[in-house]
Amino acid sequence: MQIKNTFYLLLSMLCFVGFAQQKDTFRAFGELPRMVDYKLYENLKYSENQEIRFKYLDTIAMIYLESGHADSLMHYGHLIKNEALYKGRNIKNRDEIKLSGLYFEGAAAQKLGLLEESIKSLIEGIESSNSEQSIQKYLKLQLAETYLLKSELKKSKELLEELPQKKTPNDFYLKNEVVKSQYLIQSNDLDLAEIMINKALSEEFIDNYQKLKLELELNLSKIELRRGHFESLLEKTNRIKTTALNNGFYDVYIEATLDIGLSHAMLEEYDVSEVVLTTAYINTIQWNRLELEQKVIGDLVKLYKVKEDYKNAYNLITQYQRVTKEIADKQNQRLVKDLELKYETLKKEKEISQLQEDQILQQAEIERQKTIKYAFLIGFLVILIPIILLLIVYYQKLQTQSLLNKQQEAINQQEVTTLLQSQELELAKNTISVQSKERDRIARELHDSIGGNLAGIKLKMNSLGDHQPEFRQILNLLDATYNQVREISHSLIPKEFEGSAFTDLVNSYLDSISKDASVNLRFEAYPNDEVNAIEVSLQVSLFNIIKELVTNALKHAKAEEINVQITSFPEAKSIELLYEDDGVGFDLNKTNKGIGLKNMETRVANFKGRISIDTAVNRGTVISISLPQN
């Protein structure tokens, strides 16, 4: 798979070179160009004190924030926060240093697509600051933008309403207008967003903040994209892209490139769109910008669907799953590092506490000796009182233990009842499954075997003629028998598969589930007509498998989003079912297979198919099923 991906990237770059010879407007970078002067690194290395060191760290981090170097920004955010944790305990601005580090960490995690980690760092900074500190409003604004990326509009709106609306300082005012216009665009209030952006662009100080100006103009282009003005959009967005590239704003450059690729696709210039988006895909991989890589893959999947290139669309969906897994793994790795850092800090604090405790014990021993010398009676009372207290505590412990035993007994009884109900439910499902399979088998036997024999006898009798008077009666009786066998075989096939298309049945089932559950269910079939044309028995099995997968997800996975895709590959004579959810997942090595999973494996085995399960704890579940078709 790695060799295949490398070949795909090299081929895409070769296509891009041919396109670039005609229109020199796009560039693919092996790595992000260097933005920080080496003198800053030297000055940081030889800083005289902690205050000067912090100023250089802050300057370098701001450069990486503006240019979009997410990995470097995360690194320097950690360094700044560590200045406050270890070296800055005796300096006056320790809290300011810590808040700056949390702000840069949150911004970097957002650019890397680690949205949960970004929210964690920004909320920690907001809770650690007070309303008088100017950095608090920057933390809230960054958090509002992160919620927008998660499509949590309500939370973003609440934060934006808390922020001041003054035009000073200028950079905060412009950034606030960028985020508010993004909120209005996602809320589809395009007219108000356009008015707000044009007002901000007309400010006399706008040219002093080139990146914020480009971000406002990029939001205008997104409005044009939603309105369908693709020709004018291309001209404006190309100018934004060129300006961003010349100024080293590489995150803005990639966003503009995506809008250009979408515009070409909407104008049905699919080859140009493919080259533009592939160039952006190469850059996001080389720069390790996972959130942008997800966006590019999503746009390429849409493009290949329009071109009816379902094989590449299917392969890119697999790449999308890889990126999602990589984001989850990175968040877990960073969580482990944070835990290690907290452990080391607590370890040092514990050593200090232990020293203080030893001193207290020594002082207590001295006082105890004095008490014994001056008053034996007082010493006796000091010993007697703890004994009485221990007896009281022991008595309370016995009462508590008795109460806990009663509660545990009630819990055990409830667990037994629940287990019995679950077993009864599984038994009923198993019975229905066996009955359905047996009805299908009997229907095929009646239709193909007995029905075929009766049809053959009828044809042979028609060829013999009706010279005998009883011949016509026998022939009529044979017709009646054949029709009865045919009606019985059809009655055994589920009725819903006789009058409706297969994809309509699946969509109807998922719609009914969505109404009763707070989960987003999506179903896609490629190509739709060929999926509807597959054999009825295979349709029934696929439908039962989908129901089993969705039922398990609702019962156990706690998923918020479930995707189901069925793809027909006529050249390979196979049907591919891909299931994905964002639930809690499970450990295949530790979890016993339930009845539902065993039923799915049995159905797949009956059709000589293959099933593959990819899951882990807290990472969702992906199940791929391949079934051959005659």
Side-chain angles (χ1 to χ4, degrees):
M1 179 61 72
Q2 186 65 32
I3 296 174
K4 181 178 179 182
N5 292 338
T6 304
F7 175 76
Y8 174 77
L9 289 175
L10 290 175
L11 182 61
S12 301
M13 293 181 70
L14 290 174
C15 295
F16 161 73
V17 170
F19 177 79
Q21 290 175 351
Q22 298 175 5
K23 296 183 179 181
D24 188 19
T25 56
F26 296 92
R27 292 178 61 188
F29 300 91
E31 59 182 8
L32 282 173
R34 181 172 61 86
M35 299 298 297
V36 179
D37 194 319
Y38 282 121
K39 290 183 180 179
L40 283 175
Y41 293 124
E42 290 293 323
N43 292 336
L44 173 64
K45 183 177 180 181
Y46 298 106
S47 299
E48 298 177 358
N49 54 56
Q50 294 174 16
E51 283 81 6
I52 295 176
R53 175 178 170 80
F54 166 67
K55 289 180 180 178
Y56 281 120
L57 286 172
D58 187 76
T59 301
I60 294 173
M62 287 298 297
I63 293 173
Y64 284 131
L65 176 64
E66 190 168 20
S67 62
H69 289 56
D71 283 328
S72 298
L73 179 60
M74 178 67 76
H75 172 72
Y76 281 91
H78 282 317
L79 289 180
I80 292 172
K81 191 171 73 172
N82 291 341
E83 285 292 301
L85 287 175
Y86 295 113
K87 299 180 181 178
R89 294 184 181 273
N90 298 322
I91 60 177
K92 296 180 180 179
N93 59 347
R94 180 177 69 87
D95 291 337
E96 179 184 346
I97 294 174
K98 178 184 176 182
L99 292 175
S100 295
L102 289 170
Y103 174 77
F104 290 131
E105 277 187 354
Q110 181 198 100
K111 292 180 180 297
L112 288 169
L114 310 177
L115 301 183
E116 298 297 335
E117 183 178 345
S118 174
I119 292 172
K120 174 180 173 295
S121 297
L122 294 171
I123 290 179
E124 182 181 352
I126 293 171
E127 292 177 345
S128 302
S129 62
N130 56 62
S131 58
E132 297 177 358
Q133 291 177 296
S134 61
I135 195 172
Q136 189 189 59
K137 59 187 179 184
Y138 288 91
L139 289 164
K140 286 186 176 181
L141 185 57
Q142 195 71 31
L143 181 59
E145 187 176 35
T146 304
Y147 280 136
L148 280 180
L149 293 175
K150 290 190 69 181
S151 297
E152 295 183 7
L153 301 184
K154 183 178 179 181
K155 292 182 180 179
S156 179
K157 181 182 178 182
E158 291 173 354
L159 286 168
L160 291 173
E161 290 175 346
E162 294 176 8
L163 295 173
Q165 305 302 316
K166 300 178 181 179
K167 293 186 179 181
T168 54
N170 296 336
D171 63 328
F172 176 80
Y173 161 73
L174 293 175
K175 182 63 177 178
N176 194 14
E177 297 301 289
V178 170
V179 178
K180 285 196 297 184
S181 60
Q182 289 173 350
Y183 166 79
L184 291 173
I185 292 171
Q186 288 194 35
S187 301
N188 210 29
D189 195 346
L190 304 183
D191 292 334
L192 183 57
E194 184 177 17
I195 293 172
M196 179 182 296
I197 295 171
N198 287 326
K199 182 180 177 182
L201 290 173
S202 65
E203 299 292 346
E204 59 183 9
F205 51 82
I206 188 67
D207 290 330
N208 297 328
Y209 303 93
Q210 279 298 313
K211 184 172 184 179
L212 293 172
K213 179 181 179 181
L214 290 175
E215 288 178 345
L216 287 166
E217 292 176 345
L218 194 58
N219 284 349
L220 273 180
S221 71
K222 293 185 183 301
I223 294 175
E224 295 291 313
L225 185 63
R226 291 199 174 209
R227 288 174 173 170
H229 301 161
F230 306 118
E231 294 286 353
S232 58
L233 170 64
L234 282 174
E235 179 181 353
K236 295 176 182 178
T237 312
N238 269 303
R239 180 182 56 78
I240 295 171
K241 174 184 64 62
T242 302
T243 305
L245 185 60
N246 292 336
N247 287 276
F249 306 142
Y250 297 104
D251 46 358
V252 177
Y253 166 76
I254 289 293
E255 289 283 355
T257 302
L258 289 178
D259 288 349
I260 293 171
L262 281 176
S263 299
H264 281 296
M266 293 301 179
L267 292 171
E268 298 185 357
E269 298 173 357
Y270 300 130
D271 292 337
V272 177
S273 175
E274 183 176 1
V275 171
V276 173
L277 293 176
T278 302
T279 304
Y281 184 35
I282 295 169
N283 285 332
T284 57
I285 292 175
Q286 295 299 325
W287 300 347
N288 195 28
R289 291 298 301 273
L290 297 178
E291 90 292 3
L292 293 177
E293 188 176 345
Q294 280 185 316
K295 288 183 180 180
V296 177
I297 291 174
D299 291 341
L300 280 171
V301 169
K302 294 177 183 176
L303 177 63
Y304 284 130
K305 286 180 182 178
V306 174
K307 295 178 67 177
E308 297 185 355
D309 188 354
Y310 300 115
K311 188 171 185 179
N312 271 332
Y314 182 84
N315 290 334
L316 280 172
I317 290 174
T318 304
Q319 291 298 318
Y320 188 91
Q321 295 165 359
R322 175 191 61 77
V323 175
T324 302
K325 178 182 178 183
E326 188 174 350
I327 289 175
D329 291 341
K330 282 199 172 186
Q331 289 195 138
N332 291 334
Q333 291 171 5
R334 295 188 187 281
L335 178 62
V336 170
K337 290 182 180 178
D338 286 342
L339 290 174
E340 290 175 347
L341 179 61
K342 289 180 181 178
Y343 172 75
E344 293 296 331
T345 305
L346 290 173
K347 188 176 179 181
K348 292 185 178 181
E349 291 178 352
K350 187 175 180 181
E351 292 175 356
I352 296 172
S353 299
Q354 187 64 42
L355 291 174
Q356 294 175 345
E357 187 177 346
D358 291 341
Q359 292 176 353
I360 293 173
L361 290 175
Q362 291 176 1
Q363 187 66 29
E365 181 64 22
I366 294 172
E367 294 296 331
R368 190 180 70 84
Q369 293 294 335
K370 289 181 180 180
T371 302
I372 293 174
K373 289 179 181 179
Y374 291 111
F376 175 81
L377 181 59
I378 295 175
F380 176 75
L381 292 175
V382 169
I383 295 173
L384 183 61
I385 291 173
I387 293 175
I388 295 173
L389 292 174
L390 286 172
L391 289 174
I392 294 172
V393 171
Y394 180 71
Y395 176 72
Q396 291 177 342
K397 182 178 180 181
L398 288 176
Q399 287 185 322
T400 303
Q401 186 64 43
S402 176
L403 181 61
L404 287 174
N405 289 338
K406 292 180 180 178
Q407 292 177 346
Q408 186 63 42
E409 184 178 353
I411 291 172
N412 291 338
Q413 185 64 33
Q414 185 177 2
E415 288 179 351
V416 170
T417 304
T418 303
L419 180 60
L420 290 174
Q421 291 175 348
S422 177
Q423 288 177 344
E424 290 174 359
L425 178 61
E426 294 298 336
L427 182 59
K429 288 171 61 180
N430 233 12
T431 303
I432 293 171
S433 175
V434 172
Q435 289 175 349
S436 177
K437 187 181 295 184
E438 185 63 17
R439 288 175 60 180
D440 187 31
R441 186 187 66 79
I442 294 172
R444 288 198 305 268
E445 290 295 332
L446 286 172
H447 185 274
D448 297 339
S449 181
I450 300 176
N453 290 339
L454 289 174
I457 294 171
K458 179 182 175 183
L459 289 173
K460 194 164 186 67
M461 290 185 69
N462 281 331
S463 66
L464 295 175
D466 53 353
H467 302 294
Q468 300 297 328
E470 295 84 2
F471 182 85
R472 179 51 57 184
Q473 295 178 359
I474 296 173
L475 191 61
N476 291 336
L477 183 60
L478 185 62
D479 280 339
T481 304
Y482 175 75
N483 289 330
Q484 288 176 359
V485 170
R486 187 171 179 272
E487 289 175 1
I488 293 172
S489 66
H490 282 286
S491 66
L492 290 172
I493 297 175
K495 294 182 179 179
E496 60 265 25
F497 287 89
E498 295 180 358
S500 301
F502 173 60
T503 54
D504 292 339
L505 288 175
V506 176
N507 279 317
S508 177
Y509 168 71
L510 295 181
D511 287 342
S512 66
I513 293 296
S514 298
K515 293 177 182 178
D516 300 327
S518 57
V519 60
N520 184 18
L521 289 164
R522 291 190 297 181
F523 171 69
E524 294 178 317
Y526 309 120
N528 195 75
D529 292 339
E530 293 188 14
V531 171
N532 284 329
I534 63 178
E535 184 182 359
V536 174
S537 60
L538 188 56
Q539 289 183 11
V540 174
S541 290
L542 285 172
F543 187 70
N544 289 330
I545 289 172
I546 291 172
K547 290 200 293 186
E548 191 68 49
L549 290 170
V550 174
T551 301
N552 285 342
L554 295 177
K555 286 173 60 179
H556 308 296
K558 300 178 181 179
E560 295 181 0
E561 184 168 337
I562 298 174
N563 295 324
V564 179
Q565 176 181 309
I566 297 179
T567 305
S568 174
F569 292 106
E571 66 278 4
K573 294 184 179 180
S574 67
I575 293 292
E576 305 292 334
L577 187 149
L578 181 65
Y579 165 87
E580 178 185 9
D581 67 51
D582 60 352
V584 298
F586 57 92
D587 190 338
L588 279 171
N589 297 323
K590 296 182 180 180
T591 304
N592 293 326
K593 294 182 179 179
I595 295 176
L597 185 56
K598 290 180 179 179
N599 284 344
M600 282 190 290
E601 290 180 342
T602 301
R603 294 181 192 277
V604 173
N606 287 340
F607 284 93
K608 299 181 180 180
R610 302 188 309 275
I611 182 170
S612 172
I613 302 176
D614 181 13
T615 184
V617 178
N618 297 326
R619 189 173 61 76
T621 302
V622 177
I623 298 178
S624 177
I625 296 175
S626 178
L627 299 174
Q629 58 176 332
N630 296 328

